Short mmCIF file of all heavy atoms in Angstrom, two decimals:
data_model
loop_
_atom_site.label_atom_id
_atom_site.label_comp_id
_atom_site.label_asym_id
_atom_site.label_seq_id
_atom_site.Cartn_x
_atom_site.Cartn_y
_atom_site.Cartn_z
N LEU A 25 -11.06 1.83 6.47
CA LEU A 25 -11.81 2.48 7.67
C LEU A 25 -10.94 2.49 8.88
O LEU A 25 -10.74 3.45 9.63
CB LEU A 25 -13.11 1.95 7.79
CG LEU A 25 -14.14 2.28 6.72
CD1 LEU A 25 -15.43 1.41 6.95
CD2 LEU A 25 -14.42 3.65 6.56
N PHE A 26 -10.32 1.25 9.15
CA PHE A 26 -9.39 1.16 10.30
C PHE A 26 -8.25 2.18 10.21
O PHE A 26 -7.86 2.87 11.13
CB PHE A 26 -8.92 -0.24 10.44
CG PHE A 26 -7.99 -0.55 11.60
CD1 PHE A 26 -8.49 -0.96 12.81
CD2 PHE A 26 -6.57 -0.35 11.38
CE1 PHE A 26 -7.60 -1.13 13.78
CE2 PHE A 26 -5.79 -0.62 12.47
CZ PHE A 26 -6.20 -0.85 13.67
N ASP A 27 -7.66 2.14 9.00
CA ASP A 27 -6.47 2.97 8.68
C ASP A 27 -6.81 4.50 8.98
O ASP A 27 -5.98 5.20 9.68
CB ASP A 27 -5.98 2.79 7.31
CG ASP A 27 -4.71 3.51 7.01
OD1 ASP A 27 -3.61 2.99 7.33
OD2 ASP A 27 -4.78 4.62 6.38
N VAL A 28 -7.88 4.94 8.41
CA VAL A 28 -8.28 6.35 8.61
C VAL A 28 -8.69 6.62 10.08
O VAL A 28 -8.35 7.76 10.54
CB VAL A 28 -9.46 6.73 7.59
CG1 VAL A 28 -10.01 8.10 7.87
CG2 VAL A 28 -8.97 6.65 6.18
N GLU A 29 -9.42 5.72 10.63
CA GLU A 29 -9.85 6.02 12.09
C GLU A 29 -8.50 6.13 13.01
O GLU A 29 -8.46 6.95 13.91
CB GLU A 29 -10.48 4.75 12.55
CG GLU A 29 -11.00 4.88 13.97
CD GLU A 29 -11.83 3.64 14.47
OE1 GLU A 29 -12.98 3.47 13.92
OE2 GLU A 29 -11.41 2.94 15.22
N LYS A 30 -7.38 5.40 12.65
CA LYS A 30 -6.19 5.49 13.42
C LYS A 30 -5.41 6.80 13.07
O LYS A 30 -4.43 7.08 13.72
CB LYS A 30 -5.37 4.31 13.23
CG LYS A 30 -5.89 2.99 13.76
CD LYS A 30 -5.79 3.13 15.28
CE LYS A 30 -6.22 1.79 15.93
NZ LYS A 30 -5.92 1.66 17.34
N GLY A 31 -5.86 7.52 11.98
CA GLY A 31 -5.16 8.71 11.64
C GLY A 31 -3.86 8.49 10.74
O GLY A 31 -3.17 9.45 10.54
N TYR A 32 -3.66 7.23 10.27
CA TYR A 32 -2.53 6.89 9.38
C TYR A 32 -2.71 7.59 8.02
O TYR A 32 -1.77 8.08 7.37
CB TYR A 32 -2.38 5.41 9.21
CG TYR A 32 -2.03 4.69 10.50
CD1 TYR A 32 -2.70 3.49 10.80
CD2 TYR A 32 -1.25 5.24 11.53
CE1 TYR A 32 -2.42 2.79 11.94
CE2 TYR A 32 -1.02 4.61 12.71
CZ TYR A 32 -1.61 3.36 12.95
OH TYR A 32 -1.34 2.70 14.09
N ASN A 33 -3.89 7.56 7.46
CA ASN A 33 -4.23 7.97 6.04
C ASN A 33 -3.17 7.45 5.07
O ASN A 33 -2.61 8.30 4.25
CB ASN A 33 -4.26 9.52 6.03
CG ASN A 33 -5.37 10.00 7.02
OD1 ASN A 33 -6.45 9.63 6.88
ND2 ASN A 33 -5.03 10.76 8.03
N THR A 34 -2.90 6.15 5.08
CA THR A 34 -1.92 5.53 4.34
C THR A 34 -2.18 5.70 2.83
O THR A 34 -1.18 5.96 2.12
CB THR A 34 -1.77 3.92 4.65
OG1 THR A 34 -1.52 4.00 6.07
CG2 THR A 34 -0.71 3.31 3.77
N CYS A 35 -3.44 5.65 2.37
CA CYS A 35 -3.63 5.73 0.81
C CYS A 35 -3.33 7.11 0.49
O CYS A 35 -2.79 7.35 -0.63
CB CYS A 35 -5.20 5.47 0.61
SG CYS A 35 -5.56 3.65 0.82
N SER A 36 -3.67 8.15 1.29
CA SER A 36 -3.44 9.54 0.81
C SER A 36 -1.81 9.78 0.82
O SER A 36 -1.38 10.42 -0.08
CB SER A 36 -3.95 10.53 1.91
OG SER A 36 -5.31 10.43 1.87
N TYR A 37 -1.19 9.14 1.79
CA TYR A 37 0.29 9.29 1.72
C TYR A 37 0.83 8.63 0.56
O TYR A 37 1.71 9.20 -0.16
CB TYR A 37 0.80 8.74 3.09
CG TYR A 37 2.17 8.64 3.38
CD1 TYR A 37 3.10 9.60 2.67
CD2 TYR A 37 2.90 7.90 4.30
CE1 TYR A 37 4.53 9.60 2.98
CE2 TYR A 37 4.21 7.80 4.50
CZ TYR A 37 5.02 8.74 3.92
OH TYR A 37 6.40 8.79 4.26
N LEU A 38 0.44 7.46 0.27
CA LEU A 38 0.98 6.69 -0.94
C LEU A 38 0.66 7.49 -2.15
O LEU A 38 1.44 7.59 -3.13
CB LEU A 38 0.37 5.30 -0.93
CG LEU A 38 0.80 4.42 -2.08
CD1 LEU A 38 2.23 4.19 -2.13
CD2 LEU A 38 -0.09 3.09 -2.10
N GLY A 39 -0.55 8.00 -2.18
CA GLY A 39 -0.94 8.81 -3.38
C GLY A 39 -0.09 10.08 -3.71
O GLY A 39 0.13 10.49 -4.70
N ARG A 40 0.42 10.62 -2.53
CA ARG A 40 1.31 11.72 -2.68
C ARG A 40 2.74 11.38 -3.21
O ARG A 40 3.44 12.13 -3.88
CB ARG A 40 1.48 12.56 -1.40
CG ARG A 40 0.25 13.35 -1.00
CD ARG A 40 0.50 14.20 0.16
NE ARG A 40 0.92 13.58 1.36
CZ ARG A 40 0.26 12.99 2.30
NH1 ARG A 40 -0.96 12.92 2.25
NH2 ARG A 40 0.84 12.40 3.40
N ILE A 41 3.13 10.22 -2.94
CA ILE A 41 4.47 9.76 -3.24
C ILE A 41 4.57 8.98 -4.49
O ILE A 41 5.56 9.19 -5.22
CB ILE A 41 5.03 8.87 -2.13
CG1 ILE A 41 5.30 9.69 -0.89
CG2 ILE A 41 6.34 8.21 -2.46
CD1 ILE A 41 5.61 8.87 0.35
N ALA A 42 3.57 8.15 -4.85
CA ALA A 42 3.70 7.36 -6.10
C ALA A 42 3.38 8.22 -7.30
O ALA A 42 2.41 9.05 -7.38
CB ALA A 42 2.65 6.32 -6.12
N LYS A 43 4.32 8.20 -8.29
CA LYS A 43 4.10 9.00 -9.57
C LYS A 43 3.55 8.10 -10.61
O LYS A 43 4.19 7.72 -11.54
CB LYS A 43 5.54 9.43 -9.91
CG LYS A 43 6.19 10.37 -8.94
CD LYS A 43 7.60 10.81 -9.25
CE LYS A 43 8.26 11.62 -8.33
NZ LYS A 43 8.57 11.08 -6.97
N THR A 44 2.25 7.71 -10.44
CA THR A 44 1.58 6.95 -11.36
C THR A 44 0.92 7.80 -12.45
O THR A 44 0.79 9.06 -12.26
CB THR A 44 0.43 6.11 -10.79
OG1 THR A 44 -0.43 7.02 -9.96
CG2 THR A 44 1.00 5.14 -9.72
N SER A 45 0.52 7.17 -13.54
CA SER A 45 0.05 7.96 -14.67
C SER A 45 -0.76 7.10 -15.62
O SER A 45 -0.50 5.85 -15.74
CB SER A 45 1.27 8.63 -15.48
OG SER A 45 0.83 9.08 -16.65
N ASP A 46 -1.73 7.67 -16.29
CA ASP A 46 -2.55 6.99 -17.31
C ASP A 46 -1.70 6.69 -18.48
O ASP A 46 -1.88 5.84 -19.22
CB ASP A 46 -3.62 7.80 -17.72
CG ASP A 46 -4.78 7.84 -16.60
OD1 ASP A 46 -4.80 7.03 -15.81
OD2 ASP A 46 -5.61 8.73 -16.68
N GLN A 47 -0.47 7.35 -18.59
CA GLN A 47 0.41 7.22 -19.71
C GLN A 47 1.33 6.00 -19.51
O GLN A 47 1.95 5.52 -20.43
CB GLN A 47 1.36 8.42 -19.91
CG GLN A 47 0.63 9.72 -19.99
CD GLN A 47 -0.16 9.78 -21.32
OE1 GLN A 47 0.37 9.30 -22.33
NE2 GLN A 47 -1.37 10.40 -21.22
N LEU A 48 1.37 5.43 -18.29
CA LEU A 48 2.07 4.22 -18.08
C LEU A 48 1.21 3.02 -18.15
O LEU A 48 0.05 3.07 -18.01
CB LEU A 48 2.77 4.28 -16.59
CG LEU A 48 3.62 5.51 -16.41
CD1 LEU A 48 4.03 5.50 -14.83
CD2 LEU A 48 4.89 5.38 -17.15
N SER A 49 1.89 1.88 -18.33
CA SER A 49 1.18 0.55 -18.40
C SER A 49 0.84 0.17 -16.96
O SER A 49 1.34 0.77 -15.92
CB SER A 49 2.05 -0.48 -19.10
OG SER A 49 3.07 -0.83 -18.19
N GLU A 50 -0.08 -0.85 -16.84
CA GLU A 50 -0.41 -1.28 -15.50
C GLU A 50 0.83 -1.86 -14.81
O GLU A 50 0.99 -1.49 -13.57
CB GLU A 50 -1.57 -2.43 -15.64
CG GLU A 50 -1.88 -2.92 -14.24
CD GLU A 50 -3.05 -3.88 -14.35
OE1 GLU A 50 -3.60 -4.20 -15.46
OE2 GLU A 50 -3.39 -4.49 -13.27
N ASP A 51 1.67 -2.52 -15.48
CA ASP A 51 2.85 -3.07 -14.82
C ASP A 51 3.79 -1.98 -14.38
O ASP A 51 4.40 -2.03 -13.30
CB ASP A 51 3.65 -4.02 -15.72
CG ASP A 51 2.90 -5.48 -15.91
OD1 ASP A 51 2.09 -5.63 -14.98
OD2 ASP A 51 3.41 -6.08 -16.82
N GLU A 52 3.97 -0.84 -15.23
CA GLU A 52 4.72 0.23 -14.81
C GLU A 52 4.19 1.00 -13.51
O GLU A 52 4.92 1.35 -12.67
CB GLU A 52 4.90 1.22 -16.05
CG GLU A 52 5.80 0.66 -17.12
CD GLU A 52 5.73 1.50 -18.31
OE1 GLU A 52 4.58 1.97 -18.70
OE2 GLU A 52 6.84 1.70 -19.02
N ASN A 53 2.88 1.13 -13.54
CA ASN A 53 2.23 1.68 -12.40
C ASN A 53 2.49 0.89 -11.17
O ASN A 53 2.67 1.32 -10.03
CB ASN A 53 0.77 1.99 -12.65
CG ASN A 53 0.56 3.36 -13.44
OD1 ASN A 53 1.21 4.30 -13.14
ND2 ASN A 53 -0.37 3.27 -14.34
N ASP A 54 2.37 -0.45 -11.27
CA ASP A 54 2.49 -1.38 -10.24
C ASP A 54 3.98 -1.21 -9.62
O ASP A 54 4.11 -1.23 -8.43
CB ASP A 54 2.27 -2.83 -10.59
CG ASP A 54 0.78 -3.07 -10.82
OD1 ASP A 54 -0.10 -2.26 -10.35
OD2 ASP A 54 0.41 -4.19 -11.31
N MET A 55 4.90 -1.17 -10.49
CA MET A 55 6.36 -1.06 -10.16
C MET A 55 6.47 0.39 -9.38
O MET A 55 7.30 0.39 -8.41
CB MET A 55 7.26 -1.14 -11.33
CG MET A 55 7.41 -2.53 -11.76
SD MET A 55 8.65 -2.70 -13.08
CE MET A 55 8.20 -1.53 -14.36
N GLU A 56 5.89 1.37 -9.84
CA GLU A 56 5.96 2.71 -9.26
C GLU A 56 5.35 2.65 -7.82
O GLU A 56 5.88 3.26 -6.91
CB GLU A 56 5.34 3.72 -10.05
CG GLU A 56 5.29 5.14 -9.47
CD GLU A 56 6.56 5.71 -8.94
OE1 GLU A 56 7.68 5.24 -9.43
OE2 GLU A 56 6.59 6.56 -8.12
N ILE A 57 4.22 1.98 -7.71
CA ILE A 57 3.57 1.92 -6.41
C ILE A 57 4.50 1.19 -5.49
O ILE A 57 4.66 1.51 -4.35
CB ILE A 57 2.18 1.26 -6.61
CG1 ILE A 57 1.22 2.29 -7.32
CG2 ILE A 57 1.63 0.80 -5.23
CD1 ILE A 57 -0.06 1.56 -7.72
N GLU A 58 5.14 0.08 -5.92
CA GLU A 58 5.97 -0.70 -5.02
C GLU A 58 7.16 0.19 -4.64
O GLU A 58 7.70 0.15 -3.50
CB GLU A 58 6.47 -1.97 -5.65
CG GLU A 58 7.31 -2.80 -4.73
CD GLU A 58 7.53 -4.30 -5.26
OE1 GLU A 58 7.16 -4.57 -6.37
OE2 GLU A 58 7.97 -5.03 -4.40
N ARG A 59 7.71 1.00 -5.56
CA ARG A 59 8.78 1.82 -5.24
C ARG A 59 8.35 2.87 -4.18
O ARG A 59 9.17 3.05 -3.18
CB ARG A 59 9.30 2.64 -6.53
CG ARG A 59 10.50 3.54 -6.30
CD ARG A 59 10.54 4.81 -7.09
NE ARG A 59 9.27 5.58 -6.99
CZ ARG A 59 9.21 6.49 -6.08
NH1 ARG A 59 10.05 6.70 -5.05
NH2 ARG A 59 8.13 7.30 -6.05
N ALA A 60 7.18 3.35 -4.28
CA ALA A 60 6.65 4.36 -3.28
C ALA A 60 6.54 3.74 -1.99
O ALA A 60 6.84 4.33 -0.92
CB ALA A 60 5.42 4.97 -3.83
N ILE A 61 6.05 2.39 -1.95
CA ILE A 61 5.80 1.80 -0.68
C ILE A 61 7.16 1.60 -0.09
O ILE A 61 7.32 1.73 1.18
CB ILE A 61 5.05 0.38 -0.92
CG1 ILE A 61 3.67 0.67 -1.30
CG2 ILE A 61 5.32 -0.54 0.24
CD1 ILE A 61 2.79 -0.52 -1.71
N ASP A 62 8.20 1.10 -0.84
CA ASP A 62 9.54 0.93 -0.33
C ASP A 62 10.05 2.31 0.31
O ASP A 62 10.69 2.27 1.38
CB ASP A 62 10.48 0.40 -1.28
CG ASP A 62 10.12 -1.02 -1.70
OD1 ASP A 62 9.50 -1.74 -0.99
OD2 ASP A 62 10.57 -1.42 -2.81
N GLU A 63 9.77 3.33 -0.30
CA GLU A 63 10.16 4.65 0.14
C GLU A 63 9.38 5.03 1.55
O GLU A 63 10.09 5.42 2.51
CB GLU A 63 9.91 5.74 -0.83
CG GLU A 63 10.42 7.08 -0.37
CD GLU A 63 10.17 8.15 -1.42
OE1 GLU A 63 10.26 7.87 -2.68
OE2 GLU A 63 9.85 9.39 -1.06
N MET A 64 8.21 4.67 1.45
CA MET A 64 7.44 5.04 2.78
C MET A 64 7.96 4.12 4.05
O MET A 64 8.11 4.66 4.95
CB MET A 64 5.97 4.63 2.61
CG MET A 64 5.15 5.51 1.64
SD MET A 64 3.58 5.00 1.35
CE MET A 64 2.74 5.18 2.91
N ILE A 65 8.32 2.94 3.69
CA ILE A 65 8.95 2.09 4.72
C ILE A 65 10.27 2.51 5.10
O ILE A 65 10.71 2.56 6.22
CB ILE A 65 8.87 0.61 4.25
CG1 ILE A 65 7.45 0.13 4.15
CG2 ILE A 65 9.67 -0.26 5.20
CD1 ILE A 65 7.23 -1.22 3.42
N ARG A 66 11.14 2.99 4.11
CA ARG A 66 12.52 3.41 4.42
C ARG A 66 12.52 4.65 5.35
O ARG A 66 13.36 4.70 6.20
CB ARG A 66 13.15 3.74 3.07
CG ARG A 66 14.64 4.23 3.21
CD ARG A 66 15.36 4.57 1.84
NE ARG A 66 14.96 3.62 0.79
CZ ARG A 66 14.32 4.00 -0.18
NH1 ARG A 66 13.97 5.33 -0.41
NH2 ARG A 66 13.95 3.08 -1.20
N TYR A 67 11.47 5.49 5.27
CA TYR A 67 11.50 6.72 6.01
C TYR A 67 10.47 6.66 7.15
O TYR A 67 10.09 7.69 7.71
CB TYR A 67 11.19 7.96 5.15
CG TYR A 67 12.29 8.15 4.13
CD1 TYR A 67 12.10 8.04 2.74
CD2 TYR A 67 13.63 8.61 4.58
CE1 TYR A 67 13.20 8.19 1.99
CE2 TYR A 67 14.56 8.77 3.73
CZ TYR A 67 14.42 8.52 2.39
OH TYR A 67 15.38 8.75 1.50
#
Side-chain angles (χ1 to χ4, degrees):
L25 292 172
F26 180 91
D27 186 80
V28 171
E29 181 180 292
K30 291 288 188 172
Y32 299 137
N33 300 306
T34 302
C35 288
S36 295
Y37 182 20
L38 180 60
R40 288 190 305 272
I41 293 175
K43 297 172 179 74
T44 58
S45 168
D46 291 338
Q47 303 296 319
L48 300 174
S49 71
E50 183 176 350
D51 284 346
E52 290 170 319
N53 277 320
D54 288 346
M55 287 188 302
E56 173 54 22
I57 289 169
E58 185 166 10
R59 183 211 59 79
I61 288 171
D62 291 341
E63 182 177 327
M64 288 172 69
I65 292 169
R66 185 177 320 115
Y67 296 109

